[in-house]
Amino acid sequence: MKFIVKLFPEIMVKGTAVKKKMVSQLHDNLRTLLLRVNKDIQTKRFWDKIEVQTDDQYLEAVRRILTQTPGVEQVLEVIQLQAGKDLEAIADKVAEVACPWIEGKTFVVRARRSGTHEFSSYEAERFIGGVLFEKGNPAGVDLHNPQVKVELEIHQNELNIVTAKRTGLGGYPMGTQGALLSLMSGGFDSTIASYLTMKRGLKTHFVFFNLGGAAHEIGVKQVALYLWSQFGASHRVSFVTVPFEEVVGEIFRSTHESYMGVTLKRLMLMASERIAKEMGIDALVTGESVAQVSSQTLRNLAVIDSVTNMLVLRPLATMNKPEIMAMADQIGTRHFAESMPEFCGVISKNPVTNASFERMKKEAARFDYSVLDRAVADAMTIPVDKIVEDVAESAYVEVLQQVPEDTVVIDIRSETERQARPLEDVELITMPFHELNKQFSKLDQTKNYLLYCEKGVMSQLHAQYLKDKGFENVKVYRPV
């Protein structure tokens, strides 16, 4: 199968040197990702497109990569033939392929031509359409609302007959727009903010402020791993965990309750700025949306930002919650966000919505910043692609490779994953992970249960969460 990768339109209007650099970077990114699928997948770079050739057994993996890599506007699946420059020969080749498509249906031919030919694109459409009408058995020609659109790309002696068109991610190629550090909580907002920066070609690292609880940390790592593997795996990025329990304790000791929320956000920015500078990163990104919660009024955001000189991006600033949730549905992160263990870090009574810069200075002066220094010094950094191994080594919940008697395995994967790789020879319940936390209590609690997923990340997260809820009859299943 041949794929033709069309570039994000904004790339095409750049100057020659910038465009060449971006196309080269996109080609390198795709090669990096495709080589992980199979080393024999071939790629070829042109000034306005990239072509990919693969065997049929790798089609789904290649489709996923091409449509989820930043910089790709559209992916065409084509039958590529050598037809010369003679229009009659080209029409005959098209007829061999397309006549079965138009049987009993209305159709139209649309052609794009590049190179040197004795005919125009319009002439090619008319002539080839006439040949198809004669050789096929269509219901007729419909130029405006056809049942079948026969799309062609003719370049010199090469004929591409389009069999499918898929929408790409758009944006700029990863590696062309620099790097930033995303403040990740694992919920809807920070997840979508990170996705948007990745889509724009920004190499997005993650920082997580642990306010208490192993399950929450595993959950955020799970989301970061998903985002990276889906949209940014051409580049290695880092996941930084900052222990913030002591910081929260110091906030309670030193800060008036109405300013606790704003203070927490300021301290997170301060810590993130230090970490970003150590990593050579020039900007931060957060998931804040104006007026969504009390700490996110315009004045409060201004007070929060006054603590740092680093650029803070807020892609969701003017988006409303339904829009954010709809985007989470689109990219597959809604269930992650909904099943994230809840943790109330700082609950402000009567939180300030119009914070005073002068009052904030007084509140900040009472805080012991040595606590923040220790938290930053104790931060732990791992590559995102090592998260699976990191979760396994942490062993928050016991992992079994065999199923004991009187023990039931709960397969928490999606239906698609279960069908592709069914789990056999065990007593089994299927329950998607996003239903587990609500449905587990309804199971027979005299039995023991093992949670199963492909890589063990989600099963560790939800087993830990259930244990935190008081269920001691749950472990993780990882067969050999």
Side-chain angles (χ1 to χ4, degrees):
M1 171 66 74
K2 176 80 77 171
F3 294 89
I4 297 178
V5 177
K6 300 291 187 176
L7 309 177
F8 181 51
E10 290 183 27
I11 297 175
M12 300 304 297
V13 300
K14 301 293 183 185
T16 302
V18 174
K19 180 170 68 175
K20 183 178 180 180
K21 179 181 178 181
M22 287 190 175
V23 176
S24 179
Q25 182 69 67
L26 177 57
H27 182 248
D28 289 345
N29 293 351
L30 290 175
R31 278 182 55 82
T32 296
L33 295 168
L34 293 170
L35 283 172
R36 294 173 189 167
V37 176
N38 184 266
K39 62 181 179 61
D40 294 326
I41 295 175
Q42 299 176 6
T43 62
K44 189 174 182 180
R45 185 185 70 196
F46 298 84
W47 72 273
D48 63 341
K49 64 181 179 180
I50 294 171
E51 293 188 356
V52 178
Q53 180 79 46
T54 182
D55 293 337
D56 288 351
Q57 61 183 314
Y58 305 117
L59 285 180
E60 285 304 318
V62 172
R63 286 186 184 116
R64 186 191 67 78
I65 288 171
L66 297 183
T67 56
Q68 294 180 182
T69 297
V72 176
E73 180 69 12
Q74 188 180 61
V75 179
L76 306 182
E77 297 181 19
V78 304
I79 298 172
Q80 191 169 81
L81 304 169
Q82 296 299 317
K85 293 187 178 183
D86 180 74
L87 190 53
E88 290 186 9
I90 292 172
D92 288 340
K93 292 283 188 180
V94 175
E96 290 177 12
V97 174
C99 279
W101 300 352
I102 64 174
E103 179 80 23
K105 298 178 180 178
T106 59
F107 78 100
V108 69
V109 175
R110 293 289 180 246
R112 294 183 59 187
R113 182 192 58 81
S114 61
T116 304
H117 300 88
E118 295 182 354
F119 53 85
S120 67
S121 296
Y122 174 69
E123 289 170 337
E125 291 174 352
R126 290 191 63 186
F127 186 83
I128 295 170
V131 171
L132 290 179
F133 190 83
E134 291 179 3
K135 292 189 173 184
N137 186 29
V141 175
D142 189 334
L143 300 179
H144 303 291
N145 297 295
Q147 292 173 286
V148 177
K149 185 186 293 185
V150 180
E151 296 186 75
L152 315 171
E153 292 201 352
I154 305 169
H155 176 69
Q156 298 294 68
N157 296 324
E158 190 176 84
L159 168 65
N160 292 312
I161 305 174
V162 178
T163 60
K165 298 172 71 173
R166 302 179 189 277
T167 302
L169 195 62
Y172 291 116
M174 192 75 71
T176 62
Q177 305 304 313
L180 48 69
L181 185 62
S182 174
L183 282 69
M184 277 287 288
S185 68
F188 284 101
D189 300 340
S190 62
T191 301
I192 295 301
S194 300
Y195 160 72
L196 290 173
T197 57
M198 297 170 78
K199 178 180 176 180
R200 197 62 177 172
L202 290 155
K203 187 177 177 181
T204 302
H205 300 266
F206 305 95
V207 59
F208 165 62
F209 294 93
N210 196 335
L211 305 180
H216 192 192
E217 180 177 346
I218 297 175
V220 179
K221 285 180 174 177
Q222 169 187 279
V223 175
L225 177 62
Y226 176 85
L227 287 172
W228 173 82
S229 63
Q230 293 292 307
F231 310 111
S234 59
H235 289 68
R236 296 192 79 185
V237 299
S238 297
F239 186 97
V240 183
T241 300
V242 186
F244 239 48
E245 299 96 326
E246 190 179 356
V247 173
V248 171
E250 175 60 17
I251 291 174
F252 275 108
R253 186 202 66 79
S254 65
T255 307
H256 188 275
E257 60 186 20
S258 62
Y259 273 74
M260 286 181 178
V262 173
T263 298
L264 178 62
K265 294 291 183 67
R266 281 167 58 92
L267 293 169
M268 287 179 173
L269 281 190
M270 290 178 68
S272 298
E273 180 181 26
R274 296 185 196 179
I275 293 167
K277 286 181 176 178
E278 290 176 1
M279 298 172 68
I281 292 173
D282 297 323
L284 307 174
V285 62
T286 78
E288 290 158 321
S289 175
V290 173
Q292 190 176 112
V293 296
S294 60
S295 66
Q296 296 174 17
T297 63
L298 203 61
R299 166 57 70 87
N300 284 5
L301 292 175
V303 171
I304 290 168
D305 277 7
S306 67
V307 80
T308 178
N309 292 319
M310 185 165 280
L311 173 65
V312 181
L313 301 179
R314 292 186 173 89
L316 311 188
T318 60
M319 292 178 65
N320 58 46
K321 200 68 174 185
E323 291 173 321
I324 295 168
M325 295 174 73
M327 192 172 292
D329 283 329
Q330 175 188 337
I331 68 171
T333 59
R334 181 179 185 128
H335 292 322
F336 293 103
E338 288 181 333
S339 63
M340 192 65 60
E342 295 182 6
F343 183 85
C344 299
V346 175
I347 303 174
S348 300
K349 295 180 181 179
N350 302 314
V352 62
T353 57
N354 190 36
S356 161
F357 284 94
E358 291 301 318
R359 172 68 181 277
M360 190 68 250
K361 288 180 182 178
K362 295 177 182 178
E363 296 293 335
R366 292 196 292 269
F367 187 86
D368 179 1
Y369 288 93
S370 66
V371 176
L372 184 66
D373 295 338
R374 286 195 295 274
V376 174
D378 292 339
M380 300 294 292
T381 302
I382 63 169
V384 168
D385 57 296
K386 299 298 182 183
I387 281 177
V388 173
E389 292 93 328
D390 179 71
V391 170
E393 290 173 2
S394 299
Y396 296 108
V397 178
E398 186 177 354
V399 178
L400 300 183
Q401 296 180 339
Q402 302 291 335
V403 181
E405 293 183 7
D406 301 322
T407 300
V408 180
V409 175
I410 303 178
D411 190 337
I412 65 173
R413 296 176 297 170
S414 68
E415 182 178 354
T416 302
E417 290 175 314
R418 293 197 302 268
Q419 291 177 351
R421 292 171 294 277
L423 197 59
E424 300 175 342
D425 301 324
V426 295
E427 185 180 351
L428 189 67
I429 295 174
T430 59
M431 186 181 296
F433 73 86
H434 51 87
E435 296 180 4
L436 185 65
N437 297 333
K438 295 179 181 179
Q439 300 298 326
F440 186 81
S441 62
K442 299 177 183 179
L443 300 178
D444 182 355
Q445 295 303 312
T446 65
K447 294 186 177 181
N448 292 314
Y449 296 94
L450 298 179
L451 306 189
Y452 173 77
C453 66
E454 291 289 345
K455 296 182 178 179
V457 178
M458 285 189 291
S459 51
Q460 277 280 1
L461 163 68
H462 294 287
Q464 182 65 50
Y465 182 65
L466 291 171
K467 279 187 170 294
D468 290 347
K469 285 281 193 178
F471 297 100
E472 295 298 329
N473 57 337
V474 59
K475 297 178 183 177
V476 171
Y477 179 45
R478 292 295 302 278
V480 178

